[in-house]
Amino acid sequence: YITTKLSNPHYTPEVSTKTTVINFAVKEDGMEDQVLGLVVKKERPDLEEKSQELIVKVAHGKKTLVDLENEILRLLSSAKGSLLDDASLVDTLQTSKVTAEEVGEQLKVSETTKEQIDKARESYRPCAVRASLLYFVISDLTLIDPMYQFSLDFYFDLYNQSIDKSPKADDLEERMKNLNNYHTSSVYRNICRSLFEKHKLLFSLQMCVKILQRSGKINNDEYQYFLRGGGLVDKASQPPNPDSTWIQPIAWDNIAEMENKLPNMRNISSSFEQNTGDWKKWYQSPEPESAPLPGEWENKCNELQRLVLIRFLRPDRVVFGVSAFVANNLGPKFVEPPPFDLDSVYTDSTPTAPLIFVLSPGVDPVVMLKTKAEMRGIGEKFFSLSLGQGQGPIANRMLDDGMKDGHWVFLANCHLCISYMAELEKRVAELPTKKLNPDFRMWLSSAPTPQFPMSILQSGLKMTTEPPRGLKPNLTRLFNKFTESQFERCSKPSKYKKMVFELCYFHSTLLERRKFKNLGWNIPYDFNDSDFDICEDVLVLYIDNYEVTPWEAIRYLIGEANYGGRVTDAWDRRLVNTYLDTWYCDEAINTENFKLSSLATYYIPDDGPLQSYKDYIAQLPNFDAPEAFGQHGNADIASQIEDTVELLESILMMQPRVAGGGGATREELVDDMAKGLLEQVPAPLDLDAIIKAKMDDQSALHVVLFQEIERYNIMLGGVRRQLADLRKAVKGTVVMTAELEDVFICMFDGRIPASWLKGYPSLKPLAAWAADLVERVRQCSEWAEGTYPVIYNMGYFTFPTGFLTAVLQTSARKNSVSIDVLSWEFVVNTQDPKEITQYPKEGVYVGGMFLEGAGWDPELCCLQEPNPMELTLLMPVIQFKPTENKKKTGKGIYPCPVYYYPVRTGSRERPSYMITVDLKSGKAEADHWIKRGTALQLSLMT
């Protein structure tokens, strides 16, 4: 016998064919029965006792009957002569008859009693259903993060506590209601301390939906539509978009598709056509989740249907809509996670269960633990060790001493010492069998990793630790580190205090910019307190030793050596230096209450003692407006949309792999999608015929065309082959391979399979990606069949850098110059793309670029502030003009990076950065747009 704790182990066919694999994992029905036994045993011990006695009695009676039958058969087989002459046999038969009748009567009585007991036990079934349901919600969390492991024993302990602590009641129905409410709340409280902040709402929603689904209060088709959208849509049959200025094409595709897939949303598209103004007003409301819907739809739509509309029209408000949905159906406390409390965790702990910190960037729990140990008077008994190579024996000695003398032993960064984890797992498993000092506690910390032992996670108490969010909490934390003497230690205190406050604001700004996702940083960095401490020492050193402040040296040491040492992206380093150039200058020191942002709230406070700075920080707003970081209000919307995408992707990972509702099966849905995609995705182009046709003009641009067609042909051939094989596999005519299964799952979820992204990266959903692929191939085929395009869509090339090099090469040959002396000049065209019919004299016209993080003034041809909710806009056509003597980028010009797709860093194999385009910066300086994260994108997420 071989056992494994892996939930879905993969064995090779060679092993599987030679063994019998038994799935011994608990299922919902079995879990319900176990919980039912648990609750009845606690609530009605008499019933459970009777039930157990009855089981024994019935088993004993049946065994008696079998024994009698065996005895008779033995006597019959050994009888000699006439059976009637065998007195022993006749007596046994007579006795058996009487006994059988008695046992039969007993069994009848037992069956009746069993029915009565079962009926009484079944009245507690709703409690078992709720408990079983919540357990499987918890167990599904492992799909989100490998550290979210919870054992069945832990859950049963939690349920026993709920039975004991929940309010009692004489009325059975009320008692069950009390128990269900208390246990649901208890599960939320206990599990939340083990979850990262971003997963707490996800957990609440999953609990809420499962409870509503079990009670039949939610339409599963509508919920699946909310998660997955309309999938592939037939654009030919859909009504025209009533107003494309605010209804995005992908939003209209999904609204129109609701007509076909959701009976309750019938006539929704005609309502948009007839009441466009009312719908626009609702769309523009700051909180559409609580604003009344136009006309009859306010009374017609339930909460879920409203969420579906918000999902496609205002994706930035989905998280708020989900919070309201959970609060209305489960209660407000399920969207208000309890604050982290180390004391309560310690109270729940025992010497045999390790306490595990699941780490997030920028957090070190060792200081917090040391403080707690000192508060409890055991500071000298606190021992910590950062694990790494060769630290295993030291850790073992510390644990042995701790178990004997009652120490707190903290083993930090377990993820950096995976080789020691197997040994640690054995030591944790042995803890219950050892004689331990009751004061002993084992504390562990690890970043999320699938290699952390499952048994330790299941037996321990898990806590997530995250840094404070917001400028105010971060500034408060940094100023709390200072003592009065440290704050006054510099020989020029007035200058020092101003510069230290700027450093605190700088540090907090760098941390908080992470919330703006791509508009904040290209790569999110883990800045920590050591960066701040070193820079604070640098300030003291340079202020004390120099009469005239060496700004350039200070900016270099902070922006390049210390904080900049972590920054690996050139555009991110430009941002860091821009902040420093703005704040670390004579003006900041000489100006009274120098403003640190465009908002009047944030400035350098007047010189004073440490407490005066803390008082200033205390009156800062709890919510940071994007302008505090130099961002536009739209930046919040962009980050909220990314939060929505992350939330929906996580929920999809937790969904059972079956089609919901009573409609088509999962296989039928995917088969229909595969059929639609095969009709939509074009066949590979005839490259040989195209090369032959272009033989007369062997330009560098035609070489790019041939390379692009070759890449697209490989991709199109692979996609079409997999779709055809998938349809056969669904019908059962070929084997469903692992690769085809991945395609199947991705298509069902509306995602692009990884094998289809080898040609070029994309973040679009499957339907938008397919439509985009058709347009990409169309550009190639039209160019192949005709002549050079007048306007190139650079985003349609798999390698745009190759295209740009070909343009430079063509210009170099034309003008008989070396390609090395050429650079780019960019001229933004004011004409409508349809009016451009002639080639430029030099270079090429490029279209299809999207501006993110700014607006565009078409009259002055420069950057301007974007309109509210205008996250991206299509840029006018730009002439990419090769030039020999390019002037140095002067004032009033913003060097704008161009990225292939929204992941600005790309990957090691495929960087996203393509080129830098010079754009007029308008009324603002270039620094303004650097803080905004303004960039051009060749492809969007929709």
Side-chain angles (χ1 to χ4, degrees):
Y1 292 93
I2 302 172
T3 62
T4 176
K5 286 190 176 182
L6 295 173
S7 57
N8 191 16
H10 176 74
Y11 298 110
T12 59
E14 293 79 14
V15 173
S16 297
T17 52
K18 294 173 185 172
T19 58
T20 302
V21 180
I22 302 168
N23 184 356
F24 215 68
V26 65
K27 295 282 181 264
E28 282 198 36
D29 292 346
M31 182 69 181
E32 269 183 39
D33 289 338
Q34 284 190 58
V35 176
L36 188 63
L38 205 67
V39 73
V40 172
K41 190 176 181 181
K42 283 265 190 182
E43 294 288 299
R44 291 285 305 273
D46 57 318
L47 272 184
E48 194 59 21
E49 199 178 321
K50 234 184 223 180
S51 177
Q52 295 301 324
E53 280 177 12
L54 202 61
I55 290 167
V56 173
K57 216 175 194 179
V58 168
H60 181 70
K62 287 180 177 176
K63 184 178 183 296
T64 305
L65 286 176
V66 171
D67 289 345
L68 284 170
E69 285 171 9
N70 290 338
E71 180 62 18
I72 290 166
L73 288 171
R74 187 187 67 77
L75 288 170
L76 285 170
S77 62
S78 60
K80 291 174 182 175
S82 173
L83 295 176
L84 295 173
D85 295 339
D86 192 334
S88 171
L89 178 59
V90 172
D91 289 346
T92 304
L93 284 169
Q94 195 64 37
T95 310
S96 297
K97 184 184 176 187
V98 175
T99 309
E101 285 172 357
E102 286 173 3
V103 170
E105 285 300 316
Q106 284 176 4
L107 286 176
K108 278 181 188 175
V109 173
S110 298
E111 287 298 327
T112 309
T113 313
K114 187 175 182 297
E115 282 173 19
Q116 291 168 352
I117 292 171
D118 285 347
K119 192 177 179 183
R121 286 177 92 243
E122 279 301 309
S123 59
Y124 287 92
R125 178 69 64 176
C127 293
V129 168
R130 173 67 65 88
S132 170
L133 182 148
L134 292 176
Y135 171 74
F136 286 100
V137 171
I138 295 169
S139 64
D140 284 344
L141 289 171
T142 52
L143 301 168
I144 304 298
D145 192 297
M147 304 298 276
Y148 296 162
Q149 298 276 356
F150 301 90
S151 69
L152 196 56
D153 291 341
F154 157 80
Y155 187 73
F156 283 154
D157 287 345
L158 198 61
Y159 196 65
N160 278 324
Q161 288 173 31
S162 296
I163 295 171
D164 294 337
K165 295 179 182 178
S166 54
K168 304 289 186 275
D170 294 332
D171 180 60
L172 180 60
E173 209 163 300
E174 192 181 336
R175 168 63 183 145
M176 286 193 296
K177 187 180 175 183
N178 291 344
L179 176 54
N180 278 347
N181 289 343
Y182 185 91
H183 182 60
T184 307
S185 182
S186 174
V187 165
Y188 178 70
R189 281 195 316 273
N190 279 275
I191 300 300
C192 264
R193 72 182 173 203
S194 307
L195 306 182
F196 288 117
E197 204 64 41
K198 63 182 178 181
H199 294 143
K200 288 175 183 176
L201 181 60
L202 162 75
F203 178 54
S204 298
L205 177 63
Q206 190 72 351
M207 279 204 311
C208 180
V209 169
K210 289 288 183 186
I211 290 167
L212 292 175
Q213 281 176 337
R214 193 64 190 242
S215 56
K217 292 179 182 175
I218 199 169
N219 183 315
N220 202 45
D221 289 337
E222 289 172 359
Y223 182 60
Q224 293 302 323
Y225 200 91
F226 167 69
L227 296 180
R228 294 185 166 89
L232 296 172
V233 296
D234 182 10
K235 286 182 179 283
S237 62
Q238 74 177 212
N241 188 335
D243 191 345
S244 57
T245 58
W246 61 275
I247 304 176
Q248 297 289 327
I250 193 165
W252 184 246
D253 288 346
N254 283 291
I255 289 165
E257 194 65 14
M258 284 182 206
E259 298 260 352
N260 307 323
K261 295 190 175 172
L262 305 179
N264 293 328
M265 303 302 280
R266 203 142 283 154
N267 301 323
I268 186 75
S269 54
S270 57
S271 174
F272 270 84
E273 290 163 14
Q274 292 158 16
N275 309 304
T276 309
D278 293 341
W279 279 104
K280 186 175 182 180
K281 191 178 173 186
W282 175 80
Y283 165 81
Q284 291 178 330
S285 61
E287 296 180 358
E289 67 275 10
S290 56
L293 290 166
E296 61 175 344
W297 293 95
E298 173 60 23
N299 298 321
K300 200 174 175 184
C301 282
N302 61 27
E303 278 187 287
L304 181 57
Q305 289 154 6
R306 181 187 286 268
L307 261 183
V308 172
L309 289 170
I310 292 169
R311 151 90 157 93
F312 300 112
L313 286 166
R314 285 290 303 275
D316 58 301
R317 300 300 298 178
V318 165
V319 171
F320 301 93
V322 164
S323 293
F325 180 78
V326 173
N328 293 339
N329 287 284
L330 275 191
K333 62 185 174 186
F334 290 94
V335 290
E336 297 164 3
F340 176 67
D341 181 6
L342 191 59
D343 288 327
S344 71
V345 175
Y346 179 76
T347 307
D348 293 344
S349 69
T350 61
T352 58
L355 296 103
I356 307 155
F357 288 103
V358 184
L359 299 175
S360 58
V363 172
D364 184 5
V366 69
V367 177
M368 176 173 55
L369 265 184
K370 201 167 188 178
T371 308
K372 284 291 175 192
E374 285 166 0
M375 283 169 64
R376 291 181 171 272
I378 53 168
E380 74 286 348
K381 288 188 169 186
F382 177 78
F383 297 91
S384 66
L385 174 70
S386 184
L387 290 176
Q389 193 172 4
Q391 299 294 306
I394 303 169
N396 285 335
R397 278 201 302 276
M398 286 171 69
L399 287 172
D400 290 336
D401 293 344
M403 291 175 200
K404 187 172 64 183
D405 302 329
H407 298 163
W408 281 14
V409 179
F410 178 47
L411 304 179
N413 302 321
C414 293
H415 59 287
L416 300 178
C417 195
I418 296 299
S419 57
Y420 176 63
M421 289 300 100
E423 190 174 344
L424 183 65
E425 186 175 14
K426 286 178 191 168
R427 299 209 62 149
V428 170
E430 289 167 1
L431 287 178
T433 62
K434 292 195 171 185
K435 190 178 179 184
L436 304 174
N437 187 306
D439 293 333
F440 167 71
R441 291 294 184 276
M442 183 196 295
W443 303 84
L444 307 172
S445 76
S446 172
T449 169
Q451 293 166 298
F452 195 91
M454 189 192 300
S455 64
I456 298 180
L457 288 169
Q458 290 187 343
S459 63
L461 287 172
K462 293 175 289 300
M463 302 152 279
T464 53
T465 52
E466 296 186 75
R469 301 282 178 90
L471 286 174
K472 184 178 176 178
N474 273 296
L475 287 168
T476 304
R477 187 177 60 82
L478 290 171
F479 267 87
N480 283 341
K481 290 174 61 151
F482 287 99
T483 60
E484 284 287 353
S485 57
Q486 188 184 358
F487 200 59
E488 302 288 344
R489 66 178 170 148
C490 188
S491 61
K492 297 165 191 165
S494 177
K495 184 189 283 188
Y496 165 76
K497 288 174 187 177
K498 285 187 175 184
M499 290 173 73
V500 157
F501 186 86
E502 284 181 317
L503 184 64
C504 291
Y505 194 87
F506 171 74
H507 181 87
S508 303
T509 298
L510 298 192
L511 290 177
E512 285 306 297
R513 274 191 77 95
R514 289 169 65 110
K515 74 176 183 179
F516 297 115
K517 309 293 193 317
N518 284 330
L519 291 174
W521 295 103
N522 285 1
I523 301 170
Y525 301 100
D526 302 334
F527 300 113
N528 60 35
D529 286 0
S530 64
D531 300 314
F532 175 83
D533 294 338
I534 293 166
C535 291
E536 193 260 334
D537 288 339
V538 165
L539 290 182
V540 174
L541 185 71
Y542 275 79
I543 293 169
D544 279 348
N545 291 313
Y546 290 86
E547 203 59 45
V548 178
T549 310
W551 292 115
E552 198 172 331
I554 289 173
R555 286 196 295 262
Y556 179 82
L557 285 170
I558 295 175
E560 296 287 347
N562 289 309
Y563 284 92
R566 294 185 186 275
V567 179
T568 54
D569 185 271
W571 300 102
D572 287 339
R573 193 174 290 112
R574 178 179 76 162
L575 170 70
V576 171
N577 289 324
T578 298
Y579 277 127
L580 289 170
D581 290 343
T582 310
W583 294 336
Y584 277 83
C585 56
D586 286 324
E587 190 186 351
I589 301 302
N590 300 330
T591 307
E592 189 179 351
N593 296 143
F594 177 76
K595 286 174 70 177
L596 296 167
S597 78
S598 60
L599 300 172
T601 326
Y602 300 94
Y603 56 85
I604 300 175
D606 295 327
D607 188 20
L610 178 60
Q611 190 56 45
S612 68
Y613 285 85
K614 290 183 178 180
D615 292 341
Y616 164 75
I617 293 166
Q619 55 83 44
L620 289 175
N622 292 320
F623 173 77
D624 306 319
E627 289 80 5
F629 311 94
Q631 284 282 10
H632 187 271
N634 286 348
D636 262 346
I637 297 174
S639 66
Q640 285 161 5
I641 289 173
E642 289 201 39
D643 288 342
T644 295
V645 170
E646 199 174 312
L647 175 73
L648 294 173
E649 283 179 352
S650 298
I651 297 171
L652 274 174
M653 287 168 69
M654 296 173 72
Q655 294 305 297
R657 299 293 173 193
V658 292
T665 64
R666 184 168 163 240
E667 285 72 19
E668 287 168 344
L669 288 170
V670 173
D671 188 51
D672 281 348
M673 289 172 74
K675 183 184 175 186
L677 274 174
L678 274 170
E679 292 168 1
Q680 194 176 352
V681 173
L685 303 174
D686 188 345
L687 181 58
D688 292 337
I690 292 164
I691 293 172
K692 200 172 180 183
K694 302 287 182 187
M695 282 292 287
D696 297 339
D697 183 3
Q698 296 183 357
S699 70
L701 283 169
H702 276 157
V703 172
V704 169
L705 172 64
F706 302 151
Q707 290 171 344
E708 288 292 317
I709 290 173
E710 187 176 7
R711 289 188 203 105
Y712 276 120
N713 279 354
I714 292 168
M715 183 182 166
L716 293 170
V719 170
R720 290 183 65 83
R721 184 178 62 256
Q722 282 193 333
L723 287 169
D725 288 347
L726 181 63
R727 294 199 70 196
K728 291 175 188 172
V730 165
K731 291 182 174 72
T733 55
V734 299
V735 175
M736 179 73 83
T737 62
E739 191 178 27
L740 286 178
E741 189 176 11
D742 179 57
V743 174
F744 182 95
I745 291 167
C746 288
M747 285 180 66
F748 184 64
D749 290 344
R751 295 181 287 116
I752 313 166
S755 56
W756 297 3
L757 290 171
K758 288 175 183 173
Y760 59 91
S762 176
L763 295 185
K764 294 177 183 290
L766 183 60
W769 173 84
D772 178 67
L773 177 62
V774 172
E775 292 303 316
R776 286 166 170 268
V777 177
R778 183 175 288 134
Q779 175 171 276
C780 287
S781 62
E782 287 177 357
W783 182 1
E785 290 165 13
T787 183
Y788 299 99
V790 176
I791 301 170
Y792 294 89
N793 189 319
M794 200 157 72
Y796 287 171
F797 290 99
T798 56
F799 278 90
T801 45
F803 163 71
L804 292 172
T805 305
V807 175
L808 287 175
Q809 205 171 352
T810 303
S811 181
R813 285 177 184 172
K814 179 182 170 184
N815 298 300
S816 303
V817 296
S818 168
I819 193 172
D820 297 336
V821 302
L822 293 177
S823 54
W824 293 105
E825 188 180 321
F826 305 96
V827 182
V828 181
N829 203 298
T830 53
Q831 288 176 280
D832 187 283
K834 291 173 185 172
E835 295 172 6
I836 302 172
T837 55
Q838 299 294 318
Y839 299 111
K841 288 181 182 176
E842 196 67 55
V844 291
Y845 287 129
V846 172
M849 291 192 284
F850 299 89
L851 183 63
E852 183 181 28
W856 184 256
D857 186 332
E859 292 177 6
L860 298 175
C861 272
C862 64
L863 295 171
Q864 65 174 13
E865 293 300 322
N867 297 322
M869 297 180 66
E870 185 181 60
L871 306 181
T872 57
L873 59 88
L874 184 64
M875 271 294 283
V877 172
I878 299 176
Q879 182 186 353
F880 280 50
K881 186 178 174 184
T883 180
E884 276 187 77
N885 304 309
K886 188 190 174 185
K887 295 173 189 173
K888 202 173 180 184
T889 303
K891 217 172 179 188
I893 296 294
Y894 170 60
C896 182
V898 180
Y899 297 104
Y900 191 72
Y901 70 124
V903 178
R904 296 187 176 190
T905 45
S907 62
R908 189 179 298 171
E909 298 77 23
R910 289 292 302 267
S912 189
Y913 169 72
M914 295 289 120
I915 190 173
T916 304
V917 172
D918 292 336
L919 299 174
K920 289 180 185 175
S921 62
K923 294 176 184 176
E925 290 298 321
D927 289 0
H928 178 80
W929 304 112
I930 290 171
K931 291 174 189 173
R932 292 281 169 91
T934 302
L936 287 166
Q937 302 275 6
L938 299 181
S939 168
L940 300 178
M941 289 177 70
T942 56

